[in-house]
Short mmCIF file of all heavy atoms in Angstrom, two decimals:
data_model
loop_
_atom_site.label_atom_id
_atom_site.label_comp_id
_atom_site.label_asym_id
_atom_site.label_seq_id
_atom_site.Cartn_x
_atom_site.Cartn_y
_atom_site.Cartn_z
N MET J 1 -13.37 2.93 12.47
CA MET J 1 -14.32 3.34 13.47
C MET J 1 -15.35 4.14 12.77
O MET J 1 -15.07 4.92 11.80
CB MET J 1 -13.56 4.31 14.50
CG MET J 1 -14.49 4.97 15.46
SD MET J 1 -13.71 5.88 16.78
CE MET J 1 -12.92 7.20 15.98
N ASN J 2 -16.65 3.92 13.17
CA ASN J 2 -17.74 4.66 12.59
C ASN J 2 -18.32 5.64 13.65
O ASN J 2 -18.36 5.34 14.84
CB ASN J 2 -18.85 3.69 12.19
CG ASN J 2 -18.41 2.88 10.94
OD1 ASN J 2 -17.71 3.37 10.12
ND2 ASN J 2 -18.87 1.64 10.92
N VAL J 3 -18.72 6.79 13.17
CA VAL J 3 -19.29 7.82 14.02
C VAL J 3 -20.57 8.38 13.36
O VAL J 3 -20.74 8.35 12.21
CB VAL J 3 -18.25 8.98 14.24
CG1 VAL J 3 -17.04 8.51 15.05
CG2 VAL J 3 -17.82 9.59 12.96
N MET J 4 -21.45 8.91 14.23
CA MET J 4 -22.66 9.63 13.74
C MET J 4 -22.49 11.08 14.01
O MET J 4 -22.13 11.49 15.10
CB MET J 4 -23.90 9.09 14.48
CG MET J 4 -25.18 9.76 13.97
SD MET J 4 -26.66 9.43 14.90
CE MET J 4 -26.50 7.73 15.34
N TYR J 5 -22.79 11.85 12.97
CA TYR J 5 -22.68 13.31 13.11
C TYR J 5 -23.89 13.81 13.83
O TYR J 5 -25.06 13.48 13.50
CB TYR J 5 -22.67 13.94 11.67
CG TYR J 5 -22.52 15.43 11.72
CD1 TYR J 5 -21.47 16.06 12.32
CD2 TYR J 5 -23.51 16.23 11.08
CE1 TYR J 5 -21.39 17.43 12.30
CE2 TYR J 5 -23.41 17.65 11.10
CZ TYR J 5 -22.35 18.25 11.68
OH TYR J 5 -22.26 19.60 11.73
N ILE J 6 -23.69 14.67 14.84
CA ILE J 6 -24.76 15.20 15.69
C ILE J 6 -24.84 16.71 15.69
O ILE J 6 -25.34 17.33 16.60
CB ILE J 6 -24.67 14.65 17.14
CG1 ILE J 6 -23.29 14.93 17.72
CG2 ILE J 6 -24.97 13.18 17.18
CD1 ILE J 6 -23.15 14.55 19.17
N GLY J 7 -24.30 17.31 14.60
CA GLY J 7 -24.37 18.74 14.49
C GLY J 7 -25.40 19.20 13.49
O GLY J 7 -26.24 18.39 13.04
N LYS J 8 -25.33 20.44 13.05
CA LYS J 8 -26.27 20.96 12.09
C LYS J 8 -25.91 20.46 10.71
O LYS J 8 -24.76 20.39 10.33
CB LYS J 8 -26.22 22.49 12.10
CG LYS J 8 -26.68 23.12 13.34
CD LYS J 8 -26.58 24.63 13.28
CE LYS J 8 -27.91 25.21 12.85
NZ LYS J 8 -27.88 26.71 12.87
N THR J 9 -26.94 20.12 9.89
CA THR J 9 -26.76 19.66 8.52
C THR J 9 -26.29 20.80 7.68
O THR J 9 -26.81 21.88 7.72
CB THR J 9 -28.07 19.02 7.94
OG1 THR J 9 -28.41 17.91 8.76
CG2 THR J 9 -27.95 18.68 6.52
N SER J 10 -25.31 20.52 6.87
CA SER J 10 -24.86 21.41 5.82
C SER J 10 -24.67 20.65 4.52
O SER J 10 -23.98 19.70 4.49
CB SER J 10 -23.45 22.01 6.25
OG SER J 10 -22.97 22.86 5.24
N PRO J 11 -25.37 21.08 3.46
CA PRO J 11 -25.45 20.31 2.22
C PRO J 11 -24.04 19.95 1.64
O PRO J 11 -23.89 18.90 1.05
CB PRO J 11 -26.16 21.19 1.24
CG PRO J 11 -26.91 22.17 2.07
CD PRO J 11 -26.16 22.33 3.35
N LEU J 12 -23.04 20.76 1.81
CA LEU J 12 -21.73 20.45 1.23
C LEU J 12 -20.76 19.91 2.28
O LEU J 12 -19.60 19.62 1.95
CB LEU J 12 -21.13 21.74 0.59
CG LEU J 12 -21.90 22.22 -0.62
CD1 LEU J 12 -21.30 23.53 -1.12
CD2 LEU J 12 -21.94 21.22 -1.74
N GLU J 13 -21.21 19.70 3.50
CA GLU J 13 -20.27 19.21 4.52
C GLU J 13 -20.84 17.91 5.12
O GLU J 13 -20.52 16.86 4.56
CB GLU J 13 -20.08 20.22 5.63
CG GLU J 13 -19.25 21.41 5.13
CD GLU J 13 -18.89 22.43 6.21
OE1 GLU J 13 -19.28 22.18 7.37
OE2 GLU J 13 -18.37 23.45 5.89
N LEU J 14 -21.58 18.00 6.19
CA LEU J 14 -22.07 16.74 6.89
C LEU J 14 -23.56 16.78 7.07
O LEU J 14 -24.18 17.86 7.18
CB LEU J 14 -21.33 16.58 8.24
CG LEU J 14 -19.82 16.52 8.14
CD1 LEU J 14 -19.19 16.58 9.52
CD2 LEU J 14 -19.38 15.25 7.44
N THR J 15 -24.17 15.66 7.20
CA THR J 15 -25.62 15.53 7.44
C THR J 15 -25.90 14.97 8.83
O THR J 15 -25.35 13.94 9.21
CB THR J 15 -26.21 14.55 6.38
OG1 THR J 15 -25.92 15.02 5.07
CG2 THR J 15 -27.74 14.39 6.54
N ASN J 16 -26.76 15.70 9.58
CA ASN J 16 -27.09 15.29 10.89
C ASN J 16 -27.67 13.89 10.94
O ASN J 16 -28.54 13.59 10.09
CB ASN J 16 -28.07 16.30 11.52
CG ASN J 16 -28.38 15.93 12.98
OD1 ASN J 16 -29.02 14.99 13.27
ND2 ASN J 16 -27.91 16.80 13.87
N GLY J 17 -27.17 13.00 11.81
CA GLY J 17 -27.68 11.68 11.95
C GLY J 17 -27.06 10.66 11.03
O GLY J 17 -27.31 9.47 11.13
N LYS J 18 -26.23 11.11 10.10
CA LYS J 18 -25.63 10.19 9.15
C LYS J 18 -24.40 9.59 9.75
O LYS J 18 -23.65 10.22 10.52
CB LYS J 18 -25.22 10.97 7.87
CG LYS J 18 -24.64 10.00 6.79
CD LYS J 18 -24.45 10.72 5.47
CE LYS J 18 -23.79 9.82 4.49
NZ LYS J 18 -23.63 10.45 3.17
N ILE J 19 -24.10 8.34 9.44
CA ILE J 19 -22.92 7.62 9.92
C ILE J 19 -21.82 7.75 8.90
O ILE J 19 -21.98 7.55 7.69
CB ILE J 19 -23.28 6.14 10.22
CG1 ILE J 19 -24.33 6.09 11.34
CG2 ILE J 19 -22.01 5.37 10.62
CD1 ILE J 19 -24.84 4.72 11.61
N TYR J 20 -20.62 8.10 9.40
CA TYR J 20 -19.44 8.26 8.60
C TYR J 20 -18.31 7.39 9.12
O TYR J 20 -18.22 7.08 10.29
CB TYR J 20 -18.95 9.71 8.66
CG TYR J 20 -19.88 10.72 8.09
CD1 TYR J 20 -20.93 11.31 8.83
CD2 TYR J 20 -19.89 11.01 6.72
CE1 TYR J 20 -21.81 12.23 8.29
CE2 TYR J 20 -20.77 11.97 6.18
CZ TYR J 20 -21.72 12.55 6.97
OH TYR J 20 -22.66 13.44 6.46
N GLU J 21 -17.43 6.99 8.23
CA GLU J 21 -16.26 6.24 8.59
C GLU J 21 -15.16 7.15 8.84
O GLU J 21 -14.88 8.07 8.05
CB GLU J 21 -15.92 5.23 7.46
CG GLU J 21 -14.73 4.41 7.81
CD GLU J 21 -14.28 3.49 6.72
OE1 GLU J 21 -14.96 3.46 5.63
OE2 GLU J 21 -13.22 2.79 6.88
N VAL J 22 -14.45 6.99 9.99
CA VAL J 22 -13.28 7.78 10.29
C VAL J 22 -12.07 7.16 9.58
O VAL J 22 -11.74 5.99 9.81
CB VAL J 22 -13.02 7.85 11.81
CG1 VAL J 22 -11.77 8.65 12.14
CG2 VAL J 22 -14.23 8.54 12.49
N LEU J 23 -11.46 7.88 8.68
CA LEU J 23 -10.31 7.39 7.94
C LEU J 23 -9.04 7.39 8.77
O LEU J 23 -8.20 6.46 8.70
CB LEU J 23 -10.08 8.25 6.66
CG LEU J 23 -11.26 8.38 5.72
CD1 LEU J 23 -10.91 9.27 4.58
CD2 LEU J 23 -11.65 7.00 5.21
N SER J 24 -8.91 8.42 9.62
CA SER J 24 -7.78 8.50 10.52
C SER J 24 -8.12 9.53 11.60
O SER J 24 -9.05 10.26 11.51
CB SER J 24 -6.50 8.94 9.78
OG SER J 24 -6.64 10.20 9.27
N ILE J 25 -7.26 9.53 12.67
CA ILE J 25 -7.40 10.52 13.68
C ILE J 25 -6.05 11.26 13.70
O ILE J 25 -4.97 10.62 13.87
CB ILE J 25 -7.69 9.85 15.10
CG1 ILE J 25 -9.00 9.12 15.08
CG2 ILE J 25 -7.66 10.94 16.21
CD1 ILE J 25 -9.31 8.33 16.32
N GLU J 26 -6.13 12.59 13.50
CA GLU J 26 -4.94 13.37 13.39
C GLU J 26 -5.06 14.51 14.39
O GLU J 26 -5.98 15.36 14.31
CB GLU J 26 -4.84 13.96 11.96
CG GLU J 26 -4.72 12.83 10.93
CD GLU J 26 -4.76 13.35 9.52
OE1 GLU J 26 -4.35 14.49 9.25
OE2 GLU J 26 -5.21 12.57 8.64
N ARG J 27 -4.13 14.56 15.35
CA ARG J 27 -4.11 15.57 16.41
C ARG J 27 -5.46 15.64 17.15
O ARG J 27 -5.91 16.77 17.50
CB ARG J 27 -3.74 16.93 15.82
CG ARG J 27 -2.34 16.92 15.26
CD ARG J 27 -1.88 18.30 14.81
NE ARG J 27 -0.50 18.24 14.27
CZ ARG J 27 -0.05 19.07 13.47
NH1 ARG J 27 -0.73 20.08 13.03
NH2 ARG J 27 1.23 18.93 13.04
N GLY J 28 -6.08 14.47 17.28
CA GLY J 28 -7.32 14.40 18.02
C GLY J 28 -8.59 14.70 17.13
O GLY J 28 -9.69 14.58 17.66
N TRP J 29 -8.40 15.08 15.90
CA TRP J 29 -9.57 15.35 15.00
C TRP J 29 -9.76 14.19 14.09
O TRP J 29 -8.82 13.46 13.80
CB TRP J 29 -9.33 16.58 14.26
CG TRP J 29 -9.55 17.90 15.08
CD1 TRP J 29 -9.11 18.09 16.35
CD2 TRP J 29 -10.10 19.06 14.60
NE1 TRP J 29 -9.46 19.34 16.75
CE2 TRP J 29 -10.09 20.02 15.69
CE3 TRP J 29 -10.70 19.49 13.43
CZ2 TRP J 29 -10.58 21.27 15.62
CZ3 TRP J 29 -11.19 20.77 13.34
CH2 TRP J 29 -11.17 21.65 14.44
N TYR J 30 -11.02 14.01 13.61
CA TYR J 30 -11.33 12.85 12.72
C TYR J 30 -11.26 13.31 11.26
O TYR J 30 -11.84 14.31 10.87
CB TYR J 30 -12.82 12.38 13.02
CG TYR J 30 -13.11 11.90 14.42
CD1 TYR J 30 -14.37 11.89 14.89
CD2 TYR J 30 -12.06 11.41 15.20
CE1 TYR J 30 -14.68 11.42 16.16
CE2 TYR J 30 -12.34 10.92 16.46
CZ TYR J 30 -13.63 10.88 16.87
OH TYR J 30 -13.92 10.43 18.19
N ARG J 31 -10.61 12.45 10.47
CA ARG J 31 -10.58 12.73 9.05
C ARG J 31 -11.70 11.88 8.41
O ARG J 31 -11.75 10.67 8.55
CB ARG J 31 -9.24 12.29 8.43
CG ARG J 31 -9.23 12.58 6.90
CD ARG J 31 -7.81 12.52 6.27
NE ARG J 31 -6.92 13.50 6.83
CZ ARG J 31 -6.85 14.80 6.40
NH1 ARG J 31 -7.69 15.24 5.49
NH2 ARG J 31 -5.99 15.61 6.91
N ILE J 32 -12.66 12.61 7.76
CA ILE J 32 -13.88 12.01 7.24
C ILE J 32 -14.13 12.53 5.89
O ILE J 32 -13.89 13.71 5.56
CB ILE J 32 -15.08 12.40 8.22
CG1 ILE J 32 -14.85 11.68 9.54
CG2 ILE J 32 -16.38 12.01 7.58
CD1 ILE J 32 -15.85 12.07 10.59
N VAL J 33 -14.69 11.69 4.99
CA VAL J 33 -15.12 12.11 3.67
C VAL J 33 -16.48 12.73 3.86
O VAL J 33 -17.43 12.07 4.31
CB VAL J 33 -15.19 10.94 2.67
CG1 VAL J 33 -15.73 11.40 1.35
CG2 VAL J 33 -13.79 10.33 2.49
N ASP J 34 -16.60 13.99 3.48
CA ASP J 34 -17.89 14.71 3.69
C ASP J 34 -18.76 14.58 2.44
O ASP J 34 -18.44 13.86 1.49
CB ASP J 34 -17.64 16.16 4.16
CG ASP J 34 -17.08 17.04 3.02
OD1 ASP J 34 -16.94 16.57 1.84
OD2 ASP J 34 -16.74 18.20 3.28
N GLU J 35 -19.87 15.33 2.45
CA GLU J 35 -20.82 15.25 1.29
C GLU J 35 -20.29 15.77 -0.04
O GLU J 35 -20.80 15.47 -1.10
CB GLU J 35 -22.08 16.04 1.69
CG GLU J 35 -22.83 15.52 2.93
CD GLU J 35 -23.13 14.04 2.92
OE1 GLU J 35 -23.58 13.53 1.86
OE2 GLU J 35 -22.94 13.38 3.98
N SER J 36 -19.19 16.50 0.00
CA SER J 36 -18.56 17.03 -1.23
C SER J 36 -17.70 15.95 -1.85
O SER J 36 -17.26 16.07 -3.01
CB SER J 36 -17.72 18.22 -0.93
OG SER J 36 -16.52 17.88 -0.27
N GLY J 37 -17.46 14.83 -1.11
CA GLY J 37 -16.66 13.75 -1.64
C GLY J 37 -15.19 13.89 -1.36
O GLY J 37 -14.34 13.03 -1.67
N GLU J 38 -14.80 14.97 -0.64
CA GLU J 38 -13.44 15.15 -0.18
C GLU J 38 -13.30 14.84 1.28
O GLU J 38 -14.24 14.88 2.06
CB GLU J 38 -13.06 16.61 -0.44
CG GLU J 38 -13.15 17.11 -1.84
CD GLU J 38 -12.09 16.47 -2.74
OE1 GLU J 38 -10.99 16.19 -2.29
OE2 GLU J 38 -12.41 16.23 -3.98
N ASP J 39 -12.07 14.50 1.67
CA ASP J 39 -11.84 14.22 3.09
C ASP J 39 -11.25 15.45 3.80
O ASP J 39 -10.47 16.17 3.21
CB ASP J 39 -10.95 13.01 3.29
CG ASP J 39 -9.57 13.18 2.71
OD1 ASP J 39 -9.39 13.14 1.44
OD2 ASP J 39 -8.59 13.40 3.50
N TYR J 40 -11.80 15.72 5.01
CA TYR J 40 -11.43 16.83 5.84
C TYR J 40 -11.35 16.44 7.24
O TYR J 40 -11.90 15.42 7.66
CB TYR J 40 -12.43 17.97 5.71
CG TYR J 40 -12.51 18.58 4.33
CD1 TYR J 40 -13.52 18.22 3.44
CD2 TYR J 40 -11.56 19.52 3.88
CE1 TYR J 40 -13.55 18.76 2.15
CE2 TYR J 40 -11.64 20.07 2.59
CZ TYR J 40 -12.61 19.69 1.77
OH TYR J 40 -12.71 20.20 0.48
N LEU J 41 -10.70 17.25 8.08
CA LEU J 41 -10.61 17.02 9.51
C LEU J 41 -11.81 17.74 10.19
O LEU J 41 -12.09 18.89 9.84
CB LEU J 41 -9.31 17.55 10.05
CG LEU J 41 -8.04 16.78 9.68
CD1 LEU J 41 -6.81 17.52 10.12
CD2 LEU J 41 -8.09 15.39 10.27
N PHE J 42 -12.43 16.96 11.14
CA PHE J 42 -13.56 17.60 11.88
C PHE J 42 -13.29 17.31 13.40
O PHE J 42 -12.75 16.28 13.73
CB PHE J 42 -14.86 16.87 11.48
CG PHE J 42 -15.27 17.20 10.04
CD1 PHE J 42 -14.90 16.32 9.02
CD2 PHE J 42 -16.00 18.35 9.79
CE1 PHE J 42 -15.29 16.60 7.72
CE2 PHE J 42 -16.34 18.60 8.47
CZ PHE J 42 -16.01 17.74 7.43
N PRO J 43 -13.75 18.20 14.26
CA PRO J 43 -13.56 18.02 15.68
C PRO J 43 -14.46 16.88 16.22
O PRO J 43 -15.59 16.69 15.73
CB PRO J 43 -14.06 19.37 16.27
CG PRO J 43 -14.98 19.89 15.27
CD PRO J 43 -14.52 19.45 13.88
N PRO J 44 -13.97 16.08 17.09
CA PRO J 44 -14.69 14.93 17.59
C PRO J 44 -15.93 15.23 18.42
O PRO J 44 -16.82 14.39 18.55
CB PRO J 44 -13.67 14.15 18.40
CG PRO J 44 -12.70 15.20 18.85
CD PRO J 44 -12.64 16.16 17.70
N ASP J 45 -16.03 16.44 18.96
CA ASP J 45 -17.18 16.79 19.79
C ASP J 45 -18.51 16.91 19.05
O ASP J 45 -19.55 17.02 19.64
CB ASP J 45 -16.88 18.05 20.57
CG ASP J 45 -16.60 19.27 19.73
OD1 ASP J 45 -16.12 19.12 18.60
OD2 ASP J 45 -16.87 20.40 20.25
N VAL J 46 -18.52 16.84 17.71
CA VAL J 46 -19.76 16.90 16.93
C VAL J 46 -20.18 15.53 16.44
O VAL J 46 -21.00 15.34 15.56
CB VAL J 46 -19.67 17.92 15.78
CG1 VAL J 46 -19.52 19.33 16.30
CG2 VAL J 46 -18.53 17.54 14.80
N PHE J 47 -19.55 14.42 17.05
CA PHE J 47 -19.84 13.10 16.60
C PHE J 47 -20.08 12.24 17.82
O PHE J 47 -19.59 12.47 18.89
CB PHE J 47 -18.64 12.48 15.86
CG PHE J 47 -18.37 13.16 14.54
CD1 PHE J 47 -17.40 14.18 14.43
CD2 PHE J 47 -19.02 12.81 13.38
CE1 PHE J 47 -17.11 14.80 13.30
CE2 PHE J 47 -18.76 13.40 12.13
CZ PHE J 47 -17.78 14.42 12.10
N LYS J 48 -20.88 11.14 17.57
CA LYS J 48 -21.08 10.10 18.60
C LYS J 48 -20.44 8.83 18.00
O LYS J 48 -20.78 8.45 16.87
CB LYS J 48 -22.61 9.92 18.79
CG LYS J 48 -22.92 8.78 19.75
CD LYS J 48 -24.39 8.60 19.87
CE LYS J 48 -24.71 7.41 20.71
NZ LYS J 48 -26.15 7.15 20.81
N VAL J 49 -19.57 8.19 18.77
CA VAL J 49 -18.92 7.00 18.28
C VAL J 49 -19.91 5.84 18.24
O VAL J 49 -20.64 5.62 19.21
CB VAL J 49 -17.72 6.64 19.19
CG1 VAL J 49 -17.13 5.26 18.76
CG2 VAL J 49 -16.67 7.71 19.17
N ILE J 50 -20.02 5.18 17.10
CA ILE J 50 -20.97 4.11 16.92
C ILE J 50 -20.26 2.75 17.18
O ILE J 50 -20.81 1.88 17.78
CB ILE J 50 -21.51 4.12 15.47
CG1 ILE J 50 -22.22 5.43 15.23
CG2 ILE J 50 -22.53 2.93 15.21
CD1 ILE J 50 -23.42 5.70 16.13
N GLU J 51 -19.04 2.54 16.70
CA GLU J 51 -18.28 1.38 16.93
C GLU J 51 -16.81 1.62 16.68
O GLU J 51 -16.45 2.60 16.01
CB GLU J 51 -18.73 0.23 16.00
CG GLU J 51 -18.54 0.56 14.52
CD GLU J 51 -18.95 -0.55 13.56
OE1 GLU J 51 -20.16 -0.87 13.61
OE2 GLU J 51 -18.10 -1.06 12.86
N TYR J 52 -15.98 0.81 17.25
CA TYR J 52 -14.58 0.90 17.07
C TYR J 52 -14.08 0.00 15.98
O TYR J 52 -14.59 -1.04 15.74
CB TYR J 52 -13.80 0.67 18.35
CG TYR J 52 -13.71 1.83 19.26
CD1 TYR J 52 -14.63 1.99 20.27
CD2 TYR J 52 -12.72 2.80 19.04
CE1 TYR J 52 -14.57 3.11 21.09
CE2 TYR J 52 -12.67 3.90 19.88
CZ TYR J 52 -13.57 4.08 20.88
OH TYR J 52 -13.45 5.19 21.66
#
């Protein structure tokens, strides 16, 4: 599943308007590789689903 980040841009985390691939969904949160190159869990309310 791909999602677009719709929150505030943070250089070491996520970029507003950028599309990210969801690696997994864990306890309702999305596991995504951020700008640091590491994968972390993020709340789904800061993303818009682009495709399943």
Side-chain angles (χ1 to χ4, degrees):
M1 173 171 69
N2 291 325
V3 294
M4 181 188 320
Y5 181 61
I6 54 173
K8 293 178 98 177
T9 295
S10 175
L12 295 177
E13 290 183 6
L14 301 171
T15 302
N16 185 291
K18 184 172 177 178
I19 295 174
Y20 295 90
E21 180 181 358
V22 176
L23 303 175
S24 65
I25 299 173
E26 301 172 29
R27 296 185 180 157
W29 284 40
Y30 298 158
R31 183 165 296 278
I32 293 174
V33 175
D34 69 5
E35 302 305 320
S36 73
E38 299 292 327
D39 61 286
Y40 294 99
L41 290 172
F42 294 95
D45 60 334
V46 295
F47 295 94
K48 176 182 175 185
V49 175
I50 302 299
E51 63 179 60
Y52 277 97

